[in-house]
Amino acid sequence: IFSSLVAYLGFLGDLIFLAVEMVLLRIILCVLLRDRDLILAESIRRTCAAPGERGTVVAVLGAAHCNGVKRHLMAEVPAGS
């Protein structure tokens, strides 16, 4: 039904279809980014809490993950730390 509507509208239909695809792609990427941020934050937290390990933990993140990982790590700071 959607493709027949796009064919009927011609160029305008192509623009509408492209806009819908872009919105859906953005939603999918945001969900994947949030999930990956959580996984990275959990991995950093596990590494920092490893028994017998002392020293500095260095995590190299892409720019798209910095704010999300920081948010997850700061939100879960235990009281008194």
Side-chain angles (χ1 to χ4, degrees), residues 2 6 8 14 18 22 24 26 30 32 36 39-41 44 48 56 59 62 67 70-71 75-79 81:
F2 188 69
V6 169
Y8 175 75
D14 290 341
L18 181 62
M22 290 176 62
L24 291 176
R26 183 167 174 88
C30 285
L32 292 174
R36 187 68 181 143
I39 292 168
L40 290 167
I44 293 168
C48 291
T56 302
N67 289 335
K70 179 181 174 184
R71 185 177 60 250
E76 300 174 16
V77 174
S81 294

PDB file of all heavy atoms in Angstrom, residues 2 6 8 14 18 22 24 26 30 32 36 39-41 44 48 56 59 62 67 70-71 75-79 81:
ATOM      1  N   PHE A   2       1.919   1.257   0.864  1.00  0.00           N
ATOM      2  CA  PHE A   2       2.799   2.411   0.958  1.00  0.00           C
ATOM      3  C   PHE A   2       3.546   2.638  -0.350  1.00  0.00           C
ATOM      4  O   PHE A   2       3.664   3.771  -0.809  1.00  0.00           O
ATOM      5  CB  PHE A   2       3.772   2.225   2.129  1.00  0.00           C
ATOM      6  CG  PHE A   2       4.583   3.449   2.430  1.00  0.00           C
ATOM      7  CD1 PHE A   2       3.984   4.582   2.958  1.00  0.00           C
ATOM      8  CD2 PHE A   2       5.935   3.479   2.183  1.00  0.00           C
ATOM      9  CE1 PHE A   2       4.716   5.718   3.244  1.00  0.00           C
ATOM     10  CE2 PHE A   2       6.681   4.608   2.460  1.00  0.00           C
ATOM     11  CZ  PHE A   2       6.061   5.728   2.988  1.00  0.00           C
ATOM     12  N   VAL A   6       3.558   5.879  -2.878  1.00  0.00           N
ATOM     13  CA  VAL A   6       4.787   6.543  -3.305  1.00  0.00           C
ATOM     14  C   VAL A   6       4.821   6.645  -4.825  1.00  0.00           C
ATOM     15  O   VAL A   6       5.175   7.684  -5.383  1.00  0.00           O
ATOM     16  CB  VAL A   6       6.030   5.791  -2.760  1.00  0.00           C
ATOM     17  CG1 VAL A   6       7.305   6.304  -3.401  1.00  0.00           C
ATOM     18  CG2 VAL A   6       6.106   5.912  -1.248  1.00  0.00           C
ATOM     19  N   TYR A   8       2.330   6.752  -6.852  1.00  0.00           N
ATOM     20  CA  TYR A   8       1.307   7.706  -7.268  1.00  0.00           C
ATOM     21  C   TYR A   8       1.788   9.146  -7.089  1.00  0.00           C
ATOM     22  O   TYR A   8       1.546  10.004  -7.931  1.00  0.00           O
ATOM     23  CB  TYR A   8       0.018   7.466  -6.474  1.00  0.00           C
ATOM     24  CG  TYR A   8      -1.055   8.480  -6.747  1.00  0.00           C
ATOM     25  CD1 TYR A   8      -1.777   8.450  -7.944  1.00  0.00           C
ATOM     26  CD2 TYR A   8      -1.345   9.482  -5.827  1.00  0.00           C
ATOM     27  CE1 TYR A   8      -2.759   9.385  -8.213  1.00  0.00           C
ATOM     28  CE2 TYR A   8      -2.322  10.423  -6.077  1.00  0.00           C
ATOM     29  CZ  TYR A   8      -3.031  10.363  -7.276  1.00  0.00           C
ATOM     30  OH  TYR A   8      -3.996  11.294  -7.520  1.00  0.00           O
ATOM     31  N   ASP A  14       8.797  10.078  -3.331  1.00  0.00           N
ATOM     32  CA  ASP A  14      10.182   9.683  -3.071  1.00  0.00           C
ATOM     33  C   ASP A  14      10.741  10.426  -1.866  1.00  0.00           C
ATOM     34  O   ASP A  14      11.434   9.850  -1.029  1.00  0.00           O
ATOM     35  CB  ASP A  14      11.069   9.961  -4.286  1.00  0.00           C
ATOM     36  CG  ASP A  14      10.762   9.033  -5.456  1.00  0.00           C
ATOM     37  OD1 ASP A  14      10.141   7.974  -5.222  1.00  0.00           O
ATOM     38  OD2 ASP A  14      11.142   9.386  -6.587  1.00  0.00           O
ATOM     39  N   LEU A  18      11.912   8.735   1.616  1.00  0.00           N
ATOM     40  CA  LEU A  18      13.266   8.974   2.116  1.00  0.00           C
ATOM     41  C   LEU A  18      13.224   9.519   3.547  1.00  0.00           C
ATOM     42  O   LEU A  18      14.011   9.098   4.405  1.00  0.00           O
ATOM     43  CB  LEU A  18      14.001   9.961   1.206  1.00  0.00           C
ATOM     44  CG  LEU A  18      15.434  10.298   1.588  1.00  0.00           C
ATOM     45  CD1 LEU A  18      16.307   9.052   1.543  1.00  0.00           C
ATOM     46  CD2 LEU A  18      15.985  11.351   0.647  1.00  0.00           C
ATOM     47  N   MET A  22      14.816   7.746   6.864  1.00  0.00           N
ATOM     48  CA  MET A  22      15.790   8.439   7.715  1.00  0.00           C
ATOM     49  C   MET A  22      15.354   8.436   9.170  1.00  0.00           C
ATOM     50  O   MET A  22      16.171   8.224  10.070  1.00  0.00           O
ATOM     51  CB  MET A  22      16.003   9.863   7.213  1.00  0.00           C
ATOM     52  CG  MET A  22      16.756   9.933   5.891  1.00  0.00           C
ATOM     53  SD  MET A  22      16.908  11.599   5.232  1.00  0.00           S
ATOM     54  CE  MET A  22      17.840  12.395   6.506  1.00  0.00           C
ATOM     55  N   LEU A  24      13.350   6.229  10.652  1.00  0.00           N
ATOM     56  CA  LEU A  24      13.471   4.862  11.157  1.00  0.00           C
ATOM     57  C   LEU A  24      14.925   4.492  11.412  1.00  0.00           C
ATOM     58  O   LEU A  24      15.250   3.872  12.425  1.00  0.00           O
ATOM     59  CB  LEU A  24      12.831   3.866  10.185  1.00  0.00           C
ATOM     60  CG  LEU A  24      11.313   3.946  10.077  1.00  0.00           C
ATOM     61  CD1 LEU A  24      10.810   2.980   9.005  1.00  0.00           C
ATOM     62  CD2 LEU A  24      10.665   3.640  11.415  1.00  0.00           C
ATOM     63  N   ARG A  26      17.371   6.526  12.139  1.00  0.00           N
ATOM     64  CA  ARG A  26      17.820   7.273  13.325  1.00  0.00           C
ATOM     65  C   ARG A  26      17.339   6.598  14.605  1.00  0.00           C
ATOM     66  O   ARG A  26      18.088   6.490  15.580  1.00  0.00           O
ATOM     67  CB  ARG A  26      17.326   8.708  13.262  1.00  0.00           C
ATOM     68  CG  ARG A  26      17.804   9.552  14.417  1.00  0.00           C
ATOM     69  CD  ARG A  26      17.561  11.017  14.152  1.00  0.00           C
ATOM     70  NE  ARG A  26      17.889  11.820  15.290  1.00  0.00           N
ATOM     71  CZ  ARG A  26      19.091  12.305  15.543  1.00  0.00           C
ATOM     72  NH1 ARG A  26      20.076  12.053  14.725  1.00  0.00           N
ATOM     73  NH2 ARG A  26      19.306  13.044  16.609  1.00  0.00           N
ATOM     74  N   CYS A  30      19.838   4.992  17.409  1.00  0.00           N
ATOM     75  CA  CYS A  30      19.793   5.463  18.798  1.00  0.00           C
ATOM     76  C   CYS A  30      19.624   4.302  19.767  1.00  0.00           C
ATOM     77  O   CYS A  30      20.277   4.260  20.813  1.00  0.00           O
ATOM     78  CB  CYS A  30      18.658   6.475  18.988  1.00  0.00           C
ATOM     79  SG  CYS A  30      19.027   8.088  18.281  1.00  0.00           S
ATOM     80  N   LEU A  32      20.499   1.129  19.246  1.00  0.00           N
ATOM     81  CA  LEU A  32      21.749   0.369  19.244  1.00  0.00           C
ATOM     82  C   LEU A  32      22.840   1.097  20.022  1.00  0.00           C
ATOM     83  O   LEU A  32      23.616   0.482  20.767  1.00  0.00           O
ATOM     84  CB  LEU A  32      22.219   0.110  17.816  1.00  0.00           C
ATOM     85  CG  LEU A  32      21.358  -0.845  16.992  1.00  0.00           C
ATOM     86  CD1 LEU A  32      21.866  -0.901  15.559  1.00  0.00           C
ATOM     87  CD2 LEU A  32      21.355  -2.227  17.609  1.00  0.00           C
ATOM     88  N   ARG A  36      24.743  -0.324  23.367  1.00  0.00           N
ATOM     89  CA  ARG A  36      26.196  -0.454  23.369  1.00  0.00           C
ATOM     90  C   ARG A  36      26.821   0.384  24.484  1.00  0.00           C
ATOM     91  O   ARG A  36      27.781  -0.058  25.125  1.00  0.00           O
ATOM     92  CB  ARG A  36      26.758  -0.038  22.006  1.00  0.00           C
ATOM     93  CG  ARG A  36      28.221  -0.284  21.859  1.00  0.00           C
ATOM     94  CD  ARG A  36      28.537  -1.760  21.830  1.00  0.00           C
ATOM     95  NE  ARG A  36      29.974  -1.930  21.716  1.00  0.00           N
ATOM     96  CZ  ARG A  36      30.662  -2.873  22.308  1.00  0.00           C
ATOM     97  NH1 ARG A  36      30.051  -3.773  23.029  1.00  0.00           N
ATOM     98  NH2 ARG A  36      31.955  -2.954  22.166  1.00  0.00           N
ATOM     99  N   ILE A  39      26.531  -1.659  27.630  1.00  0.00           N
ATOM    100  CA  ILE A  39      27.480  -2.772  27.616  1.00  0.00           C
ATOM    101  C   ILE A  39      28.891  -2.280  27.913  1.00  0.00           C
ATOM    102  O   ILE A  39      29.618  -2.888  28.707  1.00  0.00           O
ATOM    103  CB  ILE A  39      27.426  -3.511  26.257  1.00  0.00           C
ATOM    104  CG1 ILE A  39      26.090  -4.236  26.107  1.00  0.00           C
ATOM    105  CG2 ILE A  39      28.596  -4.476  26.107  1.00  0.00           C
ATOM    106  CD1 ILE A  39      25.817  -4.736  24.704  1.00  0.00           C
ATOM    107  N   LEU A  40      29.290  -1.181  27.304  1.00  0.00           N
ATOM    108  CA  LEU A  40      30.618  -0.621  27.552  1.00  0.00           C
ATOM    109  C   LEU A  40      30.774  -0.181  29.008  1.00  0.00           C
ATOM    110  O   LEU A  40      31.803  -0.446  29.637  1.00  0.00           O
ATOM    111  CB  LEU A  40      30.884   0.557  26.612  1.00  0.00           C
ATOM    112  CG  LEU A  40      31.080   0.211  25.142  1.00  0.00           C
ATOM    113  CD1 LEU A  40      31.006   1.470  24.279  1.00  0.00           C
ATOM    114  CD2 LEU A  40      32.408  -0.488  24.935  1.00  0.00           C
ATOM    115  N   ALA A  41      29.758   0.483  29.554  1.00  0.00           N
ATOM    116  CA  ALA A  41      29.818   0.939  30.945  1.00  0.00           C
ATOM    117  C   ALA A  41      29.932  -0.242  31.903  1.00  0.00           C
ATOM    118  O   ALA A  41      30.708  -0.204  32.860  1.00  0.00           O
ATOM    119  CB  ALA A  41      28.592   1.788  31.278  1.00  0.00           C
ATOM    120  N   ILE A  44      33.485  -1.590  31.750  1.00  0.00           N
ATOM    121  CA  ILE A  44      34.418  -0.720  32.477  1.00  0.00           C
ATOM    122  C   ILE A  44      34.250  -0.926  33.979  1.00  0.00           C
ATOM    123  O   ILE A  44      35.229  -1.053  34.722  1.00  0.00           O
ATOM    124  CB  ILE A  44      34.197   0.759  32.090  1.00  0.00           C
ATOM    125  CG1 ILE A  44      34.594   0.978  30.625  1.00  0.00           C
ATOM    126  CG2 ILE A  44      34.964   1.687  33.021  1.00  0.00           C
ATOM    127  CD1 ILE A  44      34.150   2.307  30.065  1.00  0.00           C
ATOM    128  N   CYS A  48      37.091  -2.327  36.631  1.00  0.00           N
ATOM    129  CA  CYS A  48      37.502  -1.536  37.796  1.00  0.00           C
ATOM    130  C   CYS A  48      37.296  -2.303  39.101  1.00  0.00           C
ATOM    131  O   CYS A  48      38.039  -2.093  40.066  1.00  0.00           O
ATOM    132  CB  CYS A  48      36.718  -0.229  37.857  1.00  0.00           C
ATOM    133  SG  CYS A  48      37.153   0.930  36.543  1.00  0.00           S
ATOM    134  N   THR A  56      45.320   1.937  37.041  1.00  0.00           N
ATOM    135  CA  THR A  56      44.459   2.814  36.266  1.00  0.00           C
ATOM    136  C   THR A  56      43.814   2.034  35.129  1.00  0.00           C
ATOM    137  O   THR A  56      44.468   1.230  34.477  1.00  0.00           O
ATOM    138  CB  THR A  56      45.292   3.971  35.672  1.00  0.00           C
ATOM    139  OG1 THR A  56      45.918   4.666  36.751  1.00  0.00           O
ATOM    140  CG2 THR A  56      44.424   4.921  34.887  1.00  0.00           C
ATOM    141  N   ALA A  59      39.873   3.442  29.110  1.00  0.00           N
ATOM    142  CA  ALA A  59      38.876   2.987  28.148  1.00  0.00           C
ATOM    143  C   ALA A  59      38.894   3.935  26.953  1.00  0.00           C
ATOM    144  O   ALA A  59      38.761   5.142  27.113  1.00  0.00           O
ATOM    145  CB  ALA A  59      37.494   2.962  28.780  1.00  0.00           C
ATOM    146  N   GLY A  62      34.640   5.751  21.214  1.00  0.00           N
ATOM    147  CA  GLY A  62      34.336   6.653  20.114  1.00  0.00           C
ATOM    148  C   GLY A  62      33.525   7.827  20.646  1.00  0.00           C
ATOM    149  O   GLY A  62      32.877   7.740  21.691  1.00  0.00           O
ATOM    150  N   ASN A  67      29.319  10.378  26.052  1.00  0.00           N
ATOM    151  CA  ASN A  67      28.282  10.900  26.953  1.00  0.00           C
ATOM    152  C   ASN A  67      27.414   9.794  27.533  1.00  0.00           C
ATOM    153  O   ASN A  67      27.081   9.824  28.717  1.00  0.00           O
ATOM    154  CB  ASN A  67      27.411  11.925  26.234  1.00  0.00           C
ATOM    155  CG  ASN A  67      28.144  13.212  25.956  1.00  0.00           C
ATOM    156  OD1 ASN A  67      29.093  13.553  26.649  1.00  0.00           O
ATOM    157  ND2 ASN A  67      27.716  13.924  24.926  1.00  0.00           N
ATOM    158  N   LYS A  70      29.429   7.733  30.131  1.00  0.00           N
ATOM    159  CA  LYS A  70      29.610   8.565  31.321  1.00  0.00           C
ATOM    160  C   LYS A  70      28.316   8.624  32.131  1.00  0.00           C
ATOM    161  O   LYS A  70      28.333   8.495  33.354  1.00  0.00           O
ATOM    162  CB  LYS A  70      30.038   9.974  30.917  1.00  0.00           C
ATOM    163  CG  LYS A  70      30.216  10.910  32.087  1.00  0.00           C
ATOM    164  CD  LYS A  70      30.611  12.294  31.611  1.00  0.00           C
ATOM    165  CE  LYS A  70      30.659  13.279  32.763  1.00  0.00           C
ATOM    166  NZ  LYS A  70      30.956  14.630  32.295  1.00  0.00           N
ATOM    167  N   ARG A  71      27.197   8.790  31.451  1.00  0.00           N
ATOM    168  CA  ARG A  71      25.898   8.857  32.130  1.00  0.00           C
ATOM    169  C   ARG A  71      25.618   7.560  32.895  1.00  0.00           C
ATOM    170  O   ARG A  71      25.206   7.586  34.060  1.00  0.00           O
ATOM    171  CB  ARG A  71      24.784   9.139  31.121  1.00  0.00           C
ATOM    172  CG  ARG A  71      23.419   9.338  31.748  1.00  0.00           C
ATOM    173  CD  ARG A  71      22.341   9.678  30.728  1.00  0.00           C
ATOM    174  NE  ARG A  71      22.190   8.614  29.740  1.00  0.00           N
ATOM    175  CZ  ARG A  71      22.547   8.719  28.457  1.00  0.00           C
ATOM    176  NH1 ARG A  71      23.082   9.825  28.001  1.00  0.00           N
ATOM    177  NH2 ARG A  71      22.369   7.712  27.633  1.00  0.00           N
ATOM    178  N   ALA A  75      25.545   7.406  37.019  1.00  0.00           N
ATOM    179  CA  ALA A  75      24.226   7.113  37.584  1.00  0.00           C
ATOM    180  C   ALA A  75      24.295   5.973  38.579  1.00  0.00           C
ATOM    181  O   ALA A  75      23.453   5.869  39.466  1.00  0.00           O
ATOM    182  CB  ALA A  75      23.232   6.783  36.483  1.00  0.00           C
ATOM    183  N   GLU A  76      25.283   5.122  38.461  1.00  0.00           N
ATOM    184  CA  GLU A  76      25.347   3.931  39.299  1.00  0.00           C
ATOM    185  C   GLU A  76      26.439   4.011  40.349  1.00  0.00           C
ATOM    186  O   GLU A  76      26.911   3.002  40.852  1.00  0.00           O
ATOM    187  CB  GLU A  76      25.558   2.707  38.414  1.00  0.00           C
ATOM    188  CG  GLU A  76      24.456   2.516  37.411  1.00  0.00           C
ATOM    189  CD  GLU A  76      24.750   1.379  36.440  1.00  0.00           C
ATOM    190  OE1 GLU A  76      25.645   0.571  36.745  1.00  0.00           O
ATOM    191  OE2 GLU A  76      24.087   1.309  35.419  1.00  0.00           O
ATOM    192  N   VAL A  77      26.856   5.229  40.693  1.00  0.00           N
ATOM    193  CA  VAL A  77      27.896   5.393  41.705  1.00  0.00           C
ATOM    194  C   VAL A  77      27.329   5.032  43.062  1.00  0.00           C
ATOM    195  O   VAL A  77      26.323   5.607  43.488  1.00  0.00           O
ATOM    196  CB  VAL A  77      28.444   6.840  41.702  1.00  0.00           C
ATOM    197  CG1 VAL A  77      29.412   7.045  42.849  1.00  0.00           C
ATOM    198  CG2 VAL A  77      29.092   7.156  40.379  1.00  0.00           C
ATOM    199  N   PRO A  78      27.932   4.069  43.774  1.00  0.00           N
ATOM    200  CA  PRO A  78      27.422   3.689  45.102  1.00  0.00           C
ATOM    201  C   PRO A  78      27.561   4.847  46.091  1.00  0.00           C
ATOM    202  O   PRO A  78      28.463   5.664  45.987  1.00  0.00           O
ATOM    203  CB  PRO A  78      28.333   2.526  45.525  1.00  0.00           C
ATOM    204  CG  PRO A  78      29.017   2.072  44.274  1.00  0.00           C
ATOM    205  CD  PRO A  78      29.034   3.241  43.339  1.00  0.00           C
ATOM    206  N   ALA A  79      26.656   4.889  47.053  1.00  0.00           N
ATOM    207  CA  ALA A  79      26.686   5.943  48.072  1.00  0.00           C
ATOM    208  C   ALA A  79      27.964   5.842  48.882  1.00  0.00           C
ATOM    209  O   ALA A  79      28.422   4.757  49.208  1.00  0.00           O
ATOM    210  CB  ALA A  79      25.460   5.812  48.979  1.00  0.00           C
ATOM    211  N   SER A  81      30.932   6.843  47.838  1.00  0.00           N
ATOM    212  CA  SER A  81      32.120   6.742  46.995  1.00  0.00           C
ATOM    213  C   SER A  81      32.541   8.098  46.511  1.00  0.00           C
ATOM    214  O   SER A  81      31.782   8.961  46.288  1.00  0.00           O
ATOM    215  CB  SER A  81      31.847   5.857  45.785  1.00  0.00           C
ATOM    216  OG  SER A  81      31.631   4.532  46.216  1.00  0.00           O
TER     217      SER A  81
END
